[in-house]
C-alpha cells in the first residue's frame, strides 16, 4: 500500500477592486500552488492528499488517530490560526482539541512533518504565521523569529549545500537554482542544516521522540520559487528524498 502524504495550505482567494474613472467593479479568484509538489510526490509513488486552507480550517485532523492515517504531514503557506480557530471555537466559543499540540504529539509518536516556506509559514508576513508560539516549534529543527521573517530577494539568491553526502541530497549536484525569497530562521542545537541561503538555514532536519521533521524555508511554488526552481531537474528528487527520509 502506498504511503500517504497530506499537504495542508497552498491556497488563497483574491478580491480585486477595478477603478475606471467614475466607475468601479470587482472580481475574485481562487488559486492553489500545489501543482509542482504534488507531481513530485506522486511520481515517487506516494498517495497525495491536498487540503487547501479553507478546508483545513474545519477538516484538518482533530485526533492522533486521524493524523496517523498519514505517513507525512506537509504544512505550506498555512498559518497556525487556521488550526487554532475552527469555526466552532471562533464563532460559538466551543472547545476543540488543539491541533498544533496534536501535531507535536504526532511527531513524537513516530510521525513525519515537513514545513515549507511561504508568507504564512514559520513566522511569516507581519509574524501572522504564528507557528513559533505553538507546540509545533518544539518539533521543528529551527528556531522561529518573533517578527516578520521574510527575506525578499528580487535579485535572486542561490542556496549552498553544506552536507552533500546526506541521503536527502542524493543525486542533487551542482548549483541550486536561484530563489526570490525565504523565511529567516535560526539553527537549533542538535539538528542538521543540509543547505543554507545567505547564511541562514535553507534545508534542515531533526529527530524528535520517535519521529522526524524537516524544513525547506523557501516556497514550493511561485513567487519565491520561480520556474527556474520548480522546473529544475533536482526539484522532484529533493521532495522524493525528503519524504523517504522523513517517513523512514
Amino acid at each position: 500500500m502506498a504511503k500517504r502524504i497530506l499537504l495542508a495550505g497552498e491556497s488563497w482567494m483574491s478580491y480585486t477592486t477595478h477603478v475606471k474613472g467614475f466607475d468601479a467593479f470587482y472580481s475574485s479568484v481562487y488559486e492553489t500552488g500545489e501543482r509542482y509538489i504534488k507531481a513530485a510526490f506522486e511520481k515517487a509513488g506516494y498517495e497525495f492528499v491536498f487540503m487547501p486552507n479553507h478546508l483545513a480550517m474545519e477538516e484538518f485532523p482533530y485526533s492522533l488517530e486521524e493524523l496517523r492515517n498519514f505517513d507525512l504531514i506537509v504544512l505550506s503557506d498555512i498559518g497556525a490560526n487556521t488550526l487554532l480557530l475552527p469555526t466552532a471555537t471562533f464563532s460559538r466559543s466551543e472547545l476543540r482539541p488543539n491541533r498544533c499540540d496534536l501535531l507535536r504529539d504526532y511527531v513524537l509518536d513516530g510521525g513525519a512533518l515537513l514545513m515549507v516556506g511561504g508568507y504564512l509559514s514559520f513566522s511569516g508576513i507581519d509574524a501572522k504565521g504564528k507557528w513559533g508560539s505553538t507546540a509545533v516549534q518544539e518539533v521543528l529543527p529551527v528556531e522561529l523569529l518573533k517578527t516578520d521573517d521574510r527575506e525578499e530577494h528580487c535579485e535572486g539568491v542561490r542556496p549552498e549545500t553544506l552536507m552533500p553526502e546526506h541521503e536527502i541530497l542524493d543525486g542533487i549536484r551542482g548549483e541550486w537554482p536561484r530563489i526570490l525569497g525565504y523565511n529567516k530562521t535560526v539553527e537549533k542545537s542538535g539538528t542538521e542544516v543540509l543547505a543554507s541561503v545567505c547564511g541562514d538555514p535553507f534545508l534542515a532536519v531533526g529527530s524528535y521522540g520517535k519521529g522526524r521533521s524537516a524544513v525547506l524555508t523557501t516556497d514550493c511554488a511561485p513567487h519565491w520559487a520561480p520556474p527556474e526552481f520548480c522546473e529544475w531537474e533536482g526539484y522532484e528528487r529533493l521532495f522524493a528524498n525528503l519524504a523517504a527520509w522523513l517517513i523512514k
Side-chain angles (χ1 to χ4, degrees):
M1 183 181 297
K3 300 290 186 180
R4 302 183 77 215
I5 296 175
L6 170 64
L7 168 65
E10 278 303 324
S11 70
W12 57 96
M13 302 177 194
S14 302
Y15 187 70
T16 305
T17 301
H18 304 257
V19 179
K20 299 189 176 184
F22 181 85
D23 297 296
F25 66 93
Y26 311 96
S27 64
S28 60
V29 63
Y30 168 71
E31 298 175 281
T32 63
E34 86 289 1
R35 169 189 165 195
Y36 294 103
I37 194 171
K38 176 179 187 288
F41 286 139
E42 289 186 339
K43 184 175 180 179
Y46 296 99
E47 179 184 343
F48 182 83
V49 178
F50 177 46
M51 188 177 290
N53 280 298
H54 66 287
L55 296 182
M57 189 170 180
E58 304 302 325
E59 297 179 10
F60 192 88
Y62 282 92
S63 69
L64 273 177
E65 290 71 23
E66 291 176 287
L67 283 171
R68 291 188 187 116
N69 288 325
F70 302 97
D71 299 281
L72 169 61
I73 306 293
V74 182
L75 302 174
S76 183
D77 217 354
I78 179 173
N81 280 327
T82 297
L83 301 189
L84 292 170
L85 294 169
T87 300
T89 299
F90 185 70
S91 299
R92 301 191 297 275
S93 299
E94 296 176 8
L95 300 179
R96 288 293 183 271
N98 186 316
R99 292 179 286 183
C100 294
D101 289 354
L102 287 174
L103 275 171
R104 173 201 55 200
D105 297 344
Y106 164 78
V107 173
L108 294 176
D109 192 50
L113 175 67
L114 169 63
M115 183 172 285
V116 179
Y119 270 34
L120 282 172
S121 298
F122 301 100
S123 294
I125 187 168
D126 299 332
K128 289 179 179 178
K130 196 177 167 58
W131 290 105
S133 61
T134 74
V136 173
Q137 169 70 95
E138 299 173 29
V139 292
L140 290 179
V142 292
E143 295 286 348
L144 310 191
L145 305 187
K146 301 297 185 183
T147 59
D148 189 318
D149 64 359
R150 291 169 304 129
E151 292 289 323
E152 301 286 356
H153 287 278
C154 57
E155 77 283 10
V157 290
R158 290 189 189 277
E160 176 184 357
T161 297
L162 302 180
M163 299 180 65
E165 301 309 314
H166 196 283
E167 60 189 281
I168 289 176
L169 296 177
D170 180 46
I172 299 174
R173 296 291 180 265
E175 281 190 331
W176 290 80
R178 291 172 295 178
I179 59 171
L180 301 176
Y182 65 96
N183 298 92
K184 184 180 180 70
T185 61
V186 178
E187 179 180 354
K188 186 185 286 186
S189 176
T191 61
E192 296 179 305
V193 178
L194 311 187
S196 66
V197 58
C198 300
D200 299 318
F202 176 71
L203 176 62
V205 299
S207 297
Y208 302 92
K210 300 176 183 178
R212 290 176 166 182
S213 75
V215 298
L216 180 72
T217 59
T218 196
D219 209 336
C220 61
H223 85 275
W224 276 354
E228 176 186 355
F229 187 88
C230 294
E231 296 170 7
W232 166 53
E233 60 182 9
Y235 180 98
E236 291 182 343
R237 185 67 176 268
L238 173 63
F239 281 104
N241 289 354
L242 270 167
W245 185 87
L246 286 164
I247 292 171
K248 183 169 65 177

